Amino acid sequence: MKKWERFLPHLSFCMLLCLLVFMILDGYNPFMYWLTSTVSKVYIALCCGVGMLTAVLLIVRQYREKR
Amino acid sequence: MKKSRNNRKKRKTAPTGKQIRRESILGMLLRDLMLTAGILVLFSLFHHVIPHLTTESAPSPMPIQTPLPTPQPVREETPAPARMEEPTPSPEPDPMDWKTKFASHFTENVVETDHSYQSPGISIDIQQYRSADELPSTYFVADIYLADLESFQTRWAGGSLVYSRHADPQKLSREAEAILSINGDYANLQETGLLVRNGEFYMDEKTLCDICVLYRDGVMETYSPEEYEVEEVLERLPWQIWKFGPALLDGEGHPRESFNTTGPISGTNPRTGIGYYEPGHYCFVVVDGRQADYSEGMTMERFARLFEELGCKAAYNLDGGRSSVMFFQQERVSHPFLDGRSAGDILLIREVEPEEETK
């Protein structure tokens, strides 16, 4: 569990950084479908999943510390 | 004594807290960087490489031949029977008989120059112009008259629709024996859209892009997404449908007030477009750009005004930038930025035998 707590924020940060790169690329050339292709939609869903998981772990950790 | 010596040694070799923190931060940054690079590589693999590889082996979508239109009866006035005194009215000219309509543009035998081609069924004349704008540009206008709509074709890279496949447009021109060709709309880069090519139906999903439809009666029309219904378009038996855009002119041949596209594409760029005057009469326009002291390119607004100046009733923007290129007799006419690039498809004019079936 502690390993996931340490790894997930890094994974979340890197994935969201990549998503930012894709958004910038999409602005320059939307016809490469950086954000609208099937692969992109799956990637965005994964980003949401990882982000939510990171948030949940952080909330749980804060709750435990409070107790 | 010994203890203090050992302690002194330990104090010299043991890293400080600051050093430990610096190294751990650097290590962390390095690991995050590698993780980001790995994610980008994985994404590119699934977004670009694997689709290209797997769709080559998978059978391409089977094109569905749209049935040939049932011949429309020529609108002729039937002569009044048994009344010899009344004169018989002469039949109205067939609107599809472009050979007669544009007879002055066709020749009995093939006549070629370095910028024109005339034959019994095709007339092409290419002119180079220099715009007198603040950012001057060089552009090429190919004026096209056709006796048969089947001379107006498109060709996929590799000969069939495969997602993300591309090829040298000059090579495609040679394969198709094109007299005139330009780059297309890279339609195989998107898995959705309303798509018909050379009368073959591929897909019927509406997107947010404008479309351009060339119907079998020679009429060319452009539509924004809210201006058409898929079923109505398909009912009219389209010959070609392009799905890049945007449409450049409104219903009266004036530039649209706004264009259905994004900021970077609307800027000053090399451009490719098609224009429509009337059934059987079209034009291809290619604007060179991104080359200082030669040709800067055009904005979308300027490009639309160009088609208005040419007198077109409808006009449509195709893939531009480095893709923009025009070939005549399979030799390059325009000067694309950085020598051009490969294309997913091309538009072309070629001779067809009257009974030849298109692929």
Side-chain angles (χ1 to χ4, degrees), chain A residues 6-7 9-18 21-22 26-41 43, chain B residues 28 31-33 35-37 39-40 43-44 46-48 51 163 186 189-191 209 243-245 260-265 341:
Chain A
R6 287 171 60 188
F7 175 65
H10 293 275
L11 180 64
S12 186
F13 176 78
C14 294
M15 286 184 77
L16 291 173
L17 183 64
C18 291
V21 168
F22 301 147
D26 189 69
Y28 278 102
N29 193 353
F31 293 98
M32 289 294 291
Y33 308 108
W34 293 102
L35 297 179
T36 49
S37 68
T38 311
V39 174
S40 304
K41 287 175 187 169
Y43 180 80
Chain B
M28 185 184 71
R31 280 193 298 271
D32 282 353
L33 211 63
L35 184 58
T36 307
I39 291 169
L40 285 171
F43 183 87
S44 303
F46 284 97
H47 193 255
H48 296 295
Y163 173 65
Y186 229 126
L189 210 56
Q190 192 183 21
E191 298 161 294
C209 297
K243 54 175 182 144
F244 193 93
N260 183 14
T261 185
T262 60
I265 292 178
R341 67 167 162 218

Side-chain angles (χ1 to χ4, degrees), chain A residues 41-62:
Chain A
K41 287 175 187 169
V42 170
Y43 180 80
I44 291 168
L46 282 173
C47 282
C48 294
V50 167
M52 281 163 54
L53 207 57
T54 310
V56 163
L57 283 174
L58 186 61
I59 290 166
V60 166
R61 191 183 182 186
Q62 285 174 348

Side-chain angles (χ1 to χ4, degrees), chain B residues 174-237:
Chain B
R174 287 178 180 153
E175 286 171 1
E177 297 176 353
I179 301 162
L180 173 73
S181 64
I182 55 174
N183 62 287
D185 62 346
Y186 229 126
N188 61 348
L189 210 56
Q190 192 183 21
E191 298 161 294
T192 56
L194 182 56
L195 189 62
V196 170
R197 292 296 163 91
N198 299 334
E200 293 171 356
F201 167 80
Y202 288 94
M203 53 182 94
D204 62 353
E205 189 178 334
K206 204 172 184 179
T207 64
L208 298 176
C209 297
D210 294 349
I211 62 169
C212 176
V213 186
L214 176 61
Y215 294 102
R216 284 184 182 266
D217 59 2
V219 171
M220 183 184 284
E221 291 180 357
T222 59
Y223 304 100
S224 298
E226 64 275 5
E227 291 173 351
Y228 73 97
E229 295 297 330
V230 169
E231 295 76 20
E232 287 172 11
V233 169
L234 293 177
E235 267 173 23
R236 284 178 63 182
L237 300 176

Side-chain angles (χ1 to χ4, degrees), chain B residues 239-298:
Chain B
W239 173 243
Q240 312 279 1
I241 299 181
W242 296 280
K243 54 175 182 144
F244 193 93
L248 298 172
L249 304 178
D250 59 21
E252 294 168 7
H254 302 303
R256 292 194 172 209
E257 288 180 2
S258 62
F259 301 102
N260 183 14
T261 185
T262 60
I265 292 178
S266 291
T268 303
N269 286 304
R271 300 229 173 258
T272 303
I274 44 176
Y276 164 74
Y277 299 93
E278 57 182 326
H281 185 197
Y282 314 94
C283 67
F284 291 171
V285 177
V286 167
V287 181
D288 287 336
R290 296 182 190 163
Q291 297 165 70
D293 302 328
Y294 165 61
S295 183
E296 295 285 346
M298 287 187 182

